[in-house]
Amino acid sequence: MASSISTRLKTNEVRFSFVKVFEKGQDDDKYSVAIMIDKSKKKLISAIEEAIKATYEANKDKLQGVKLSKCLEILKDADEEGGLAERYPEFEGCMYLNARSIRKIPVLHKVGGVSLTTDEEFHSGDYGLADLAFFAYNAEKNKGVGCAINAIPRFINKVVGDHQPPCSNEFAPGMPPLALR
């Protein structure tokens, strides 16, 4: 079977949740992280949708019978997703997607490019950038577009004590522009 043509996207500031970047998850034996995007970040949301569309278009042969609308469903509205924002208030006002990797995800601190290695240094609620790859998959009656995380190239810890402010209130101006390749 031919390999998938992927679309790479580097985000500006996002928030991370359900962080499993230093040890594999028990359910699927992969590293993973939920990436939360404030709904006011319309350019970033649009760039993610365009990356999904580009991946879909580049892999139409592999995705025969799959509608683009199904592929776009990997980007979810937390306020509409089965009470997620009610159970986890930090998701309120956010879009999110889950990104996975079969290899350990490098997390680089913003000062000096120091690589972090434990969940005591980087955890759910932290902010940073994400280097993503959208890819097509076709495995036993299951087809679509998925999201892999290549790296978290810069991280900003904005959590103060036990207080985790809603993602809509915590985005700093001056973050680097979005790069879509």
Side-chain angles (χ1 to χ4, degrees):
M1 183 179 292
S3 65
S4 170
I5 298 170
S6 64
T7 304
R8 191 169 179 186
L9 180 128
K10 292 182 180 182
T11 72
N12 50 15
E13 187 176 342
V14 296
R15 188 172 186 190
F16 302 100
S17 189
F18 300 105
V19 173
K20 295 181 189 126
V21 297
F22 301 113
E23 292 184 20
K24 292 182 179 182
Q26 295 174 348
D27 297 338
D28 61 3
D29 199 35
K30 292 181 181 166
Y31 300 96
S32 63
V33 63
I35 298 171
M36 300 163 53
I37 306 111
D38 188 279
K39 288 182 186 177
S40 69
K41 292 188 155 243
K42 297 193 185 308
K43 285 184 182 179
L44 177 55
I45 292 168
S46 179
I48 291 169
E49 290 169 342
E50 290 302 315
I52 295 167
K53 289 176 188 175
T55 304
Y56 176 83
E57 291 297 325
N59 293 282
K60 275 191 168 177
D61 291 345
K62 189 174 194 172
L63 297 172
Q64 284 183 333
V66 178
K67 293 184 178 184
L68 175 60
S69 59
K70 179 186 183 287
C71 296
L72 288 168
E73 290 175 1
I74 65 170
L75 180 62
K76 298 176 168 88
D77 186 332
D79 296 323
E80 298 176 7
E81 187 67 25
L84 182 68
E86 292 172 13
R87 290 191 314 273
Y88 302 100
E90 62 273 18
F91 276 82
E92 186 177 336
C94 294
M95 301 294 287
Y96 76 97
L97 58 89
N98 294 310
R100 293 178 176 78
S101 177
I102 57 173
R103 63 178 177 78
K104 196 170 190 175
I105 302 164
V107 179
L108 304 175
H109 193 280
K110 77 174 192 173
V111 179
V114 177
S115 187
L116 303 181
T117 57
T118 71
D119 58 3
E120 291 175 13
E121 298 170 295
F122 178 75
H123 46 76
S124 292
D126 283 346
Y127 292 78
L129 311 180
D131 182 349
L132 305 173
F134 295 89
F135 61 92
Y137 60 89
N138 180 344
E140 295 183 34
K141 300 181 185 180
N142 194 10
K143 299 178 188 179
V145 172
C147 181
I149 186 154
N150 297 319
I152 299 171
R154 181 170 147 190
F155 108 101
I156 304 120
N157 185 343
K158 290 189 177 183
V159 177
V160 180
D162 291 335
H163 176 66
Q164 294 186 7
C167 68
S168 59
N169 296 334
E170 284 299 312
F171 289 90
M175 292 305 294
L178 173 71
L180 179 59
R181 293 193 233 171

